[in-house]
């Protein structure tokens, strides 16, 4: 490690290439240190997210007027453009040692949220284990080689490390188990409604009996799941008929129908006339 005025540290930096800039989480800086007795960072702010892990010793994190002491296994986050301050906590051995990962990208708010980290509560005690430490130092060892690759090699390794971090977290549950599987079912419907899915497929996906799923869906959403699914398909069908010159057979297959006849029948039942007549009018 290199000696600085307040620490011994190694810093690794990266400027994302054109491919990496389209990623949701982009590693830009990592490092690890051993703090000197005068170690004190801030008050200051940075323009990216940074996750700091306490490898040994103790660090004091100052939030407004409150001071939180984090020990080995602790994690705290620095949020973009938010004032932060942290410093060594006087104690006997071992000395304060930390490692950190800084990143940017549109997925970072979701990642910190998944970890349970917020501006008002940006820390977790006893978060990580020895396996994560080993993975981090392996990532640091490979960093210089990975940044030379003009591809997604660094991002791939970073996502693997992020996945390990996320798996250590306890996901924040929705307000109830019902809300949780209901949200999952809606996400599934909106993603796959053009693939010919059935209500049984949706219920199986969330692990709920079909009849119970249909009843609760109706109570919570205000419409039967079959009707909800039909509305999505028919609204998309109408949009395609209105805005394109695609053959009706192509539209039918693209919306999960096995043939033009079943699609035309469904379209007529829903919109009052077949798609070909609707297009002509």
């Amino acid at each position: 490690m290199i000696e600085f005025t307040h620490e011994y540290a190694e810093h690794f930096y990266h400027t994302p290439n054109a491919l990496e800039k389209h990623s949701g989480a982009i590693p830009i800086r990592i490092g690890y240190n051993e703090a000197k007795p005068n170690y004190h960072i801030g008050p200051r702010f940075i323009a990216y997210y940074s996750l700091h892990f306490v490898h040994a010793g103790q660090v004091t994190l100052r939030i407004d007027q409150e001071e939180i002491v984090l020990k080995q296994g602790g994690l705290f986050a620095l949020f973009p453009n938010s004032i932060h301050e942290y410093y060594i906590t006087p104690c006997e051995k071992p000395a304060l040692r930390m490692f950190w990962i800084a990143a940017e990208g549109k997925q970072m708010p979701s990642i910190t949220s998944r970890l349970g980290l917020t501006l008002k509560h940006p820390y977790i005690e006893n978060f990580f284990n020895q396996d994560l430490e080993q993975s981090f130092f392996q990532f640091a060892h490979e960093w210089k080689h990975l940044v030379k690759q003009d591809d997604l090699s660094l991002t791939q390794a970073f996502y693997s490390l992020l996945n390990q971090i996320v798996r250590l977290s306890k996901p924040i549950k929705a307000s109830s188990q019902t809300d949780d599987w209901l949200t999952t079912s809606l996400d599934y419907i909106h993603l796959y409604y053009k693939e010919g899915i059935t209500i049984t497929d949706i219920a199986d996906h969330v692990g709920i009996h079909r009849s119970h799923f249909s009843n609760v869906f109706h109570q919570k959403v205000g419409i039967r799941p079959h009707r909800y699914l039909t509305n999505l398909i028919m609204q998309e069908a109408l949009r395609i008929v209105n805005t394109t010159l695609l053959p009706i057979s192509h539209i039918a297959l693209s919306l999960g129908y096995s043939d033009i006849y079943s699609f035309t029948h469904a379209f007529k039942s829903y919109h009052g006339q077949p798609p070909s007549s609707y297009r002509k009018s």
Side-chain angles (χ1 to χ4, degrees):
M1 291 190 287
I2 301 173
E3 183 176 4
F4 298 91
T5 57
H6 60 293
E7 66 180 343
Y8 299 92
E10 287 284 354
H11 300 271
F12 303 90
Y13 300 91
H14 175 54
T15 301
N17 62 38
L19 278 175
E20 291 168 326
K21 288 179 180 178
H22 293 282
S23 301
I26 309 166
I28 57 175
R29 178 174 175 261
I30 65 168
Y32 51 89
N33 76 343
E34 180 175 320
K36 291 183 177 181
N38 65 332
Y39 184 79
H40 193 127
I41 304 297
R44 68 168 192 176
F45 65 87
I46 55 178
Y48 44 81
Y49 292 84
S50 190
L51 301 177
H52 291 245
F53 304 83
V54 183
H55 178 50
Q58 298 180 165
V59 64
T60 298
L61 176 66
R62 187 173 181 85
I63 307 172
D64 295 327
Q65 302 302 315
E66 183 182 4
E67 293 184 339
I68 296 94
V69 176
L70 294 174
K71 301 179 180 180
Q72 181 180 13
L75 159 67
F76 64 92
L78 309 180
F79 289 82
N81 304 311
S82 177
I83 297 294
H84 59 262
E85 183 178 9
Y86 55 96
Y87 39 87
I88 191 170
T89 306
C91 66
E92 296 182 2
K93 295 182 179 180
L96 171 63
R97 296 198 301 273
M98 295 191 293
F99 57 87
W100 55 86
I101 308 168
E104 58 186 12
K106 61 185 179 181
Q107 285 184 325
M108 289 307 299
S110 296
I111 290 170
T112 53
S113 176
R114 169 66 185 270
L115 295 176
L117 299 167
T118 66
L119 281 170
K120 292 184 178 181
H121 196 281
Y123 64 91
I124 308 174
E125 298 178 278
N126 302 315
F127 176 77
F128 67 95
N129 55 27
Q130 188 176 12
D131 289 341
L132 179 62
E133 290 183 27
Q134 293 175 347
S135 296
F136 174 85
F137 286 111
Q138 178 65 28
F139 184 48
H141 176 73
E142 297 174 351
W143 181 277
K144 290 183 179 179
H145 168 70
L146 292 172
V147 297
K148 294 178 181 179
Q149 307 298 314
D150 189 24
D151 54 22
L152 296 173
S153 297
L154 180 67
T155 300
Q156 181 182 24
F158 180 55
Y159 268 102
S160 178
L161 184 62
L162 277 180
N163 183 56
Q164 192 172 350
I165 293 170
V166 168
R167 286 170 65 90
L168 287 171
S169 71
K170 296 179 180 179
I172 300 175
K173 295 294 184 181
S175 57
S176 71
Q177 289 185 343
T178 296
D179 290 342
D180 189 43
W181 65 251
L182 184 62
T183 298
T184 300
S185 71
L186 287 168
D187 290 341
Y188 181 81
I189 291 170
H190 281 266
L191 185 60
Y192 295 112
Y193 74 91
K194 299 178 186 179
E195 304 298 326
I197 59 173
T198 66
I199 304 307
T200 300
D201 293 330
I202 303 166
D204 288 346
H205 177 71
V206 295
I208 304 295
H209 189 276
R210 187 186 189 284
S211 59
H212 179 65
F213 168 78
S214 296
N215 290 334
V216 175
F217 189 100
H218 188 200
Q219 293 171 5
K220 293 286 187 176
V221 182
I223 185 175
R224 289 287 177 186
H226 182 270
R227 188 63 180 177
Y228 188 94
L229 183 60
T230 300
N231 286 349
L232 280 178
I233 296 171
M234 287 297 115
Q235 288 165 10
E236 179 65 3
L238 184 61
R239 185 193 68 80
I240 298 173
V241 169
N242 274 336
T243 60
T244 76
L245 296 177
L246 287 172
I248 302 303
S249 60
H250 292 190
I251 298 174
L253 296 175
S254 300
L255 292 176
Y257 288 89
S258 58
D259 55 66
I260 188 173
Y261 305 106
S262 56
F263 170 68
T264 298
H265 177 75
F267 190 98
K268 182 178 180 180
S269 297
Y270 190 92
H271 290 293
Q273 54 184 325
S276 55
S277 298
Y278 197 99
R279 179 175 277 174
K280 289 178 181 179
S281 63

